[in-house]
């Protein structure tokens, strides 16, 4: 009974999922039996019916025997109750002896007649008692014999019934699995209570049925679980259950609402919880309990998840108020903002008041409501520290604010809303609001309309206008000002520019004009330009001079005079110097020059092209003249001194910039088509040919890498390189050929290693060949050597690997000592280990002799030592004091679980890890650890670390008498329940050591556990209670509408309330702070809502007050702020609340009744009103107003409510 302890967390992973191969094999087996499945199913069904009939007869027989046994038990109890006691229990022999003694005494003494009669009556009574005692003994013996016989019969019937039940269960399993009963086997498991709870769940049964094709039945009477199915499936399911590891069970008490929340829509929530956690979730409606079963870690995590789910999904409702001008911000365009808040909150619903109602009601799960509340508060700045209203003239409102307030740059946490056409309301922190107000005022001032004028020289007007007025248009668009130029008057050299717009735009326009004109420049210079260069400085359409102006930032004017062309430059000193350098560069680039470039004879055909077309194209592209050298003879008569002179360069004439571009193109053409030819040796040509066949991308890769073209002719052994990088490509090819030339190396090989390589199976020879690949391997017997052949880069690595292999496989012999308990496990494995490691193994007494290659001997020796260390048993004792013993006992399960073997702690035939055992001996003050070395050492370290950490955070505190009694009090009302402090100790895994004499409590455990139990103690020992006597009339006020007030008091204070309606007692209990807050809130509620009033009405007026679906009475309550209750029994309307609210509600009721009596009568008779609602539907059977439905659309005041009812 009671809630089981949670299993400690285990480092083992969660259980394995389905075994696909096993399931496929079982499915295949079912398919093979497909031909006989229908017949087997029919026979199984008939056999099941016969077994059910036989079981019914046995049950009836058992019931008859049980009734007879009950009758005998009743008779037996009656006999025991009337069992002779004292002298009445004497046997007949004893009584006859006593009577003879009394007769002899009577004969010896002289008695009166009366005394003699008394003696005779006494002897007669003694005989009667002895006879009755004998009859009682006979009856009791008869009952005992009959009961024994019935018990044996009942036991036999029960045995038959169990056999029939087993057969019936097997037959049912066969029918369910589609098998014959003969093919079904049974396996009985005796798991722990937690594991039995898990296996009994429908989720686990369904999982086992799907994965292993077995049927699971729970036998609660025998505390066992029975598995039915084919042998393979039953064996696999049994192995799965045995390897589950620690299983935990948890029970959570819930109410009906939370139970429905856990179920979800069509069970989706509970299904998702089971699939994601790997635990079974069983919902018991009658007990209002959720039972979780599964891996210990997963159960703890799932329990926390469910508690969090129930806490966050609790439905709440709150109401927020805001300013009317903020309604548009809250709604958003087409309700987009409200929809966004609802979607992002995760389930909250926003109901915004209609008309002038500036409130929003938020309802839904607690977490979603809180998220929506935070979003609304942040959006509307409901918690703003400061609120300012700023006047904005209507003329500049659009420019400063925009259509709404989108032009304002608001800091984080500040919002602004239009308050009419000429004002804006800003909310936020004090400093931020002041800053926004200053910006708005500055923007209002900046957007004031002004007008300025500027005198411009007529010669600069074209510079301002630009081509087609584009420059002026761009300046107006950029600044936002309107710029107008007056027409040039006759004889005047100045024109007026008028700038209109806002103050800010006019300022920007004036600055832009000054940047172009530079009338107020710091520096001004004049330079002269030759007439021939002036067109180049100006450029086509002024393109070049405008480029210089834009690049340098100087104003440049050109003028002609009688001496030449002059250029005036204005601007900063740096801009003027930059403009002068740019103009000089233009002059230099356009001077005519003649340059020579080397003649590219190796690509002269590419330079000229067909019919010199490429040469003419080059001249046209660069606007130059190219002169190629010709043949000149020193003499027409060929004599000894005559020579043939061919020039090695060509001339290029034209402007400097064009000549330089043409020279660059000719030089690039020459470099690109450089050519080099090389003749390879026969061996090198063969290597290169083989490499090209193996790697088709070799030469293309070299071409892409060096930017050349490579032509290889294998037949003539020639390779031709063409391109600028021909030399680097040629060197790379020679380097590759030197690497590819093969060489040979010979290594000495001892006889033992040579014998290994000559073994018939050839495994080691293949291993060595793969190790030295791509080198070729050969064996030489006399002398014993290993020969390697490969290219130079590969050969060095292959040689090192081969030498290392020979060294590692040197002959070696060793012995390994084996403990007796490991010898039995190791002996069957020797042959497998010898074959696996290619060594010779022999068991010699308590040692294993190993002979073979050194590397193999080392490997098998390490594996033997690991097996010995894994299975050798040792025992360690640790002396501890009492609190430490208790702490180790609490954590023993976790320590054992962290060192369990694959089979859960039992040693299997395969030699799995046996784990450890922990024995706490309190009488000796010892903790005994027994197991293999590594787990023992690890467990010993865990115990030491646990105690060290526990000692560092041990906590001691004094208790009061009440707190001591609270800890010693039973944790539940069940008989034999453990004390509360023991329950805390087990649930938090921390030791609570109580000193009853000194009234002290010592906490001993891990820091997290100590902190957890301290928090639990703080809440458990923080208890207070307050009682109040209140007037009976105030009880409904305290409870509120549908319990709203009492719920609010409980939620806000954290205390609980018990109200006695008849006596007027209010009991508040909980923590001290919660009780104080609850009492203060209760007093404030009574002071605020202490008023009440009663108004008698006619029965026909009741529907009029209530309205359709309770709409009218809700509107009256909303308008007045009072609580209104209508009672049909006595025809009285009761109003409660503050005095002001009660007066307001009374006035509204009187107005409603004075204007709608006839309509109310019609509604009371059951006829339908204008909305189709029956008049009787306005109140429930007790006369209470119906408040569950929403008001009709458009009903926002009392007058529309009357119209709706009419």
């Amino acid at each position: 009974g009671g809630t089981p302890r949670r299993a400690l967390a285990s480092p083992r992973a969660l259980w394995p999922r389905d075994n696909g191969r096993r399931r496929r094999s079982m499915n295949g087996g079912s398919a093979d039996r497909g031909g006989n499945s229908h017949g087997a199913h029919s026979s199984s069904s008939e056999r099941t019916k016969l077994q059910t009939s036989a079981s019914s007869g046995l049950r009836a027989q058992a019931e008859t025997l049980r009734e007879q046994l009950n009758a005998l038990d009743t008779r037996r109890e009656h006999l025991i109750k009337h069992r002779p006691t004292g002298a009445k229990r004497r046997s007949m022999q004893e009584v006859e002896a006593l009577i003879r003694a009394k007769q002899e005494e009577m004969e010896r003494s002289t008695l009166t007649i009366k005394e003699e009669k008394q003696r005779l009556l006494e002897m007669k009574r003694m005989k009667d008692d002895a006879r009755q005692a004998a009859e009682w003994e006979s009856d009791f013996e008869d009952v005992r014999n009959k009961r024994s016989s019935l018990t044996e019969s009942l036991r036999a019937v029960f045995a038959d019934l169990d056999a029939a039940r087993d057969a019936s269960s097997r037959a049912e399993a066969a029918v369910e699995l589609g098998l014959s009963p003969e093919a079904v086997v049974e396996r009985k498991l005796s798991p722990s209570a937690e594991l039995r709870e898990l296996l009994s769940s429908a989720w686990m049964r369904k999982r086992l049925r799907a994965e292993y094709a077995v049927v699971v039945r729970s036998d609660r009477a025998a505390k066992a679980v029975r598995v039915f199915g084919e042998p393979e499936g039953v064996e696999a399911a049994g192995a799965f259950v045995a390897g589950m590891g620690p299983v935990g069970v948890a029970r959570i008490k819930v109410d009906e609402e939370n139970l429905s929340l856990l179920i979800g829509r069509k069970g989706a929530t509970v299904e998702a919880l089971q699939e994601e956690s790997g635990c079974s979730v069983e919902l018991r409606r009658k007990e209002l309990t959720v039972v979780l079963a599964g891996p210990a870690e997963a159960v703890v995590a799932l329990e926390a998840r469910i508690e969090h789910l129930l806490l966050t999904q609790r439905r709440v409702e709150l109401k927020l108020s805001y300013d009317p001008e903020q309604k548009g911000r809250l709604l958003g365009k087409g309700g987009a903002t409200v929809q966004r808040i609802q979607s992002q909150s995760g389930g909250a619903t926003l109901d915004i008041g209609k008309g002038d109602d500036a409130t929003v009601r938020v309802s839904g799960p607690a977490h979603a409501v809180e998220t929506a509340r935070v979003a609304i508060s942040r959006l509307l700045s409901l918690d703003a520290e400061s609120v300012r209203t700023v006047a904005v003239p209507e003329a500049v409102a659009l420019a400063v604010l925009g259509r709404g307030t989108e032009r304002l740059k608001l800091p984080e946490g500040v919002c602004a809303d239009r308050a009419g056409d000429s004002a804006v309301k800003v909310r936020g922190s004090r400093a931020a609001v002041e800053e926004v107000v200053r910006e708005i005022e500055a923007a209002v001032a900046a957007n004031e309309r002004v007008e300025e004028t500027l005198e411009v020289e007529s010669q600069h007007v074209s510079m301002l206008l630009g081509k087609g007025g584009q420059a002026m248009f761009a300046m107006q668009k950029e600044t936002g000002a309107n710029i107008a130029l007056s027409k040039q008057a006759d004889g005047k050299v100045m024109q007026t520019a008028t700038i209109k717009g806002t103050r800010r735009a006019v300022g920007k326009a004036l600055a832009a004009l000054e940047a172009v004109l530079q009338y107020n420049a710091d520096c001004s210079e004049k330079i002269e330009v030759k007439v021939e260069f002036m067109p180049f400085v100006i450029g086509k359409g002024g393109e070049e001079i405008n480029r210089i102006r834009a690049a340098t930032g100087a104003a440049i004017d050109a003028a002609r005079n009688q001496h030449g062309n002059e250029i005036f430059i204005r601007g900063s000193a740096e801009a003027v110097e930059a403009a002068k350098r740019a103009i000089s560069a233009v002059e230099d680039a356009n001077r005519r020059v003649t340059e020579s470039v080397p003649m590219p004879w190796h690509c002269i055909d590419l330079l000229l092209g067909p019919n010199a077309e490429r040469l003419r194209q080059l001249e046209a592209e660069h606007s130059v003249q190219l002169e190629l050298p010709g043949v000149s003879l020193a003499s027409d008569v060929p004599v000894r001194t005559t020579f043939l002179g061919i020039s090695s360069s060509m001339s290029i004439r034209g402007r400097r910039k064009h000549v330089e571009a043409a020279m660059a193109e000719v030089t690039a053409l020459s470099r690109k088509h450089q050519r080099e030819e090389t003749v390879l040796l026969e061996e090198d040509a063969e290597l290169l040919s083989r490499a090209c066949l193996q790697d088709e991308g070799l030469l293309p890769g070299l071409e892409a890498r060096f930017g050349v073209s490579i032509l290889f002719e294998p037949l003539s052994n020639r390779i031709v390189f063409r391109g600028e990088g021909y030399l680097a490509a040629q060197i790379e090819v020679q380097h590759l050929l030197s690497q590819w030339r093969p060489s040979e190396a010979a290594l000495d090989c001892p006889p033992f290693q040579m014998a290994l390589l000559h073994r018939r199976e050839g495994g080691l020879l293949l291993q060595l060949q793969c190790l030295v690949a791509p080198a070729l391997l050969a064996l030489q017997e006399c002398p014993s050597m290993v020969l390697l052949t490969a290219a130079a880069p590969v050969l060095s690595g292959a040689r090192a690997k081969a030498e290392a292999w020979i060294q590692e496989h040197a002959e070696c012999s060793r012995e390994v000592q084996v403990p007796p308990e490991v010898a039995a496990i190791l002996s069957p494995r020797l042959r497998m280990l010898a074959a696996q490691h290619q060594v010779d193994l022999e068991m010699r007494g308590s040692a294993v002799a190993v002979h073979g290659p050194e590397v193999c001997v080392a490997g098998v020796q390490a594996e033997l030592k690991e097996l010995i260390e894994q299975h050798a048993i040792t025992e360690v004792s640790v002396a501890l004091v009492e609190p430490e013993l208790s702490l180790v006992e609490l954590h023993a399960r976790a320590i054992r679980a962290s060192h369990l073997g694959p089979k859960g702690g039992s040693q299997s035939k395969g030699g799995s890890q046996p784990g450890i055992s922990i024995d706490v001996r309190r009488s000796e003050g010892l903790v005994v650890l027994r197991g293999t070395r590594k787990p023992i050492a690890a467990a010993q370290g865990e115990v030491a670390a646990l105690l060290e950490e526990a000692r560092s955070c041990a906590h001691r505190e004094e208790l009061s008498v009440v707190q001591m009694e609270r800890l010693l009090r039973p944790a539940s009302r069940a008989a034999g329940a453990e004390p509360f402090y023991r329950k805390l100790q087990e649930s938090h895994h921390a030791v609570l050591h109580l000193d009853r004499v000194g009234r002290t409590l010592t906490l001993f455990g891990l820091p997290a556990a100590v902190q957890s139990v301290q928090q639990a103690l703080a809440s458990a020992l923080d208890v207070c209670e307050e009682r109040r006597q209140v007037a009976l009339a105030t009880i409904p006020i305290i409870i509120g509408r549908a319990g709203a007030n009492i719920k609010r008091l409980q939620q806000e204070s954290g205390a609980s309330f018990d109200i006695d309606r008849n006596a007027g007692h209010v009991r508040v209990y909980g923590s001290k702070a919660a009780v104080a807050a609850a009492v203060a809130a209760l007093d404030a509620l009574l002071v605020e809502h202490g008023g009440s009033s009663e108004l008698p009405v006619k029965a026909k007026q009741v529907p009029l007050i209530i309205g359709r679906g309770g709409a009218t009475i809700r509107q009256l309550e909303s308008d007045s702020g009072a609580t209104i209750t209508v009672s049909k029994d006595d025809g009285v309307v009761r109003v409660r609340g503050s005095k002001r609210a009660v007066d307001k509600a009374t006035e509204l009721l009187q107005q409603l009744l004075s204007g709608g009596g006839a309509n109310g009568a019609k509604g009371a008779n059951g006829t339908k009103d204008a909305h189709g609602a029956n008049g009787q539907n306005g109140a429930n059977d007790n006369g209470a107003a119906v408040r569950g439905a929403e008001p009709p659309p458009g009903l926002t005041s009392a007058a529309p409510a009357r119209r709706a009812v009419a």
Side-chain angles (χ1 to χ4, degrees), residues 959-1146:
L959 302 176
S960 63
V961 177
V962 178
Q963 291 174 331
M964 180 66 76
E965 291 177 354
R966 176 70 180 92
L967 291 176
L968 295 174
R969 189 183 306 161
S972 64
R973 297 181 179 179
E978 61 182 3
F980 179 66
Y981 81 92
R982 287 190 179 275
K983 182 179 179 182
L984 288 177
Q985 181 172 282
E986 293 179 359
S987 59
H988 295 276
H989 289 85
V991 177
L992 280 72
H993 184 67
L994 290 175
D995 184 1
R996 303 188 184 185
V997 178
R999 288 208 308 271
T1000 59
L1001 171 64
T1002 302
L1003 304 179
F1004 193 72
L1006 296 176
V1010 171
Q1011 184 178 3
S1012 176
V1013 77
Q1014 281 180 330
Q1015 294 175 357
L1017 287 172
S1019 60
L1021 301 181
D1022 182 17
V1023 180
C1024 182
E1025 180 177 308
E1026 186 78 19
R1027 294 180 180 271
R1028 286 295 180 93
Q1029 181 70 32
V1030 298
L1032 296 179
T1034 61
I1035 295 296
I1037 297 176
I1038 297 174
I1039 297 175
R1041 177 183 176 184
N1045 290 343
I1046 194 70
K1047 291 179 181 177
R1048 179 176 57 81
L1049 291 175
Q1050 290 178 344
Q1051 292 176 356
E1052 293 178 355
S1053 64
S1056 300
F1057 284 74
D1058 283 341
I1059 300 176
D1060 188 351
R1061 293 176 177 267
N1062 299 324
H1065 293 302
V1066 178
R1067 174 174 169 259
V1068 187
Y1069 59 93
S1071 63
K1072 296 178 182 178
V1075 169
V1079 170
L1082 177 63
D1083 293 341
L1085 178 65
L1086 293 176
V1087 171
E1088 180 183 358
H1089 299 284
S1092 62
S1093 176
E1094 294 184 356
L1095 181 66
V1097 296
K1098 299 178 181 179
K1100 64 183 180 180
Q1101 293 175 324
V1102 170
L1104 176 64
I1105 296 173
I1106 295 174
R1108 182 185 180 188
T1112 305
I1113 195 169
R1114 279 200 305 273
Q1115 188 64 45
L1116 292 174
E1117 289 180 336
S1118 175
D1119 294 343
S1120 63
T1123 301
I1124 304 174
T1125 306
V1126 182
S1127 176
K1128 291 196 302 181
D1129 298 335
D1130 52 4
V1132 175
V1133 178
R1134 294 178 175 84
V1135 185
R1136 294 187 300 276
S1138 62
K1139 186 175 184 305
R1140 181 178 179 181
V1142 169
D1143 294 342
K1144 179 67 174 177
T1146 303

Side-chain angles (χ1 to χ4, degrees), residues 251-292:
R251 290 177 172 83
I252 304 174
K253 286 290 185 180
V254 295
D255 54 16
E256 285 288 349
E257 181 181 357
N258 290 336
L259 198 62
S260 301
L261 177 65
L262 287 177
I263 295 174
R265 185 175 183 182
K266 296 183 179 179
T269 303
V270 69
E271 288 294 335
L273 289 174
Q274 291 182 140
E275 290 300 326
E276 294 174 5
S277 64
C279 301
S280 71
V281 181
E282 185 178 357
L283 307 177
R284 301 178 179 176
R285 285 190 175 274
K286 292 183 179 180
E287 304 172 9
L288 294 179
T289 304
V290 180
V291 181
L292 313 179

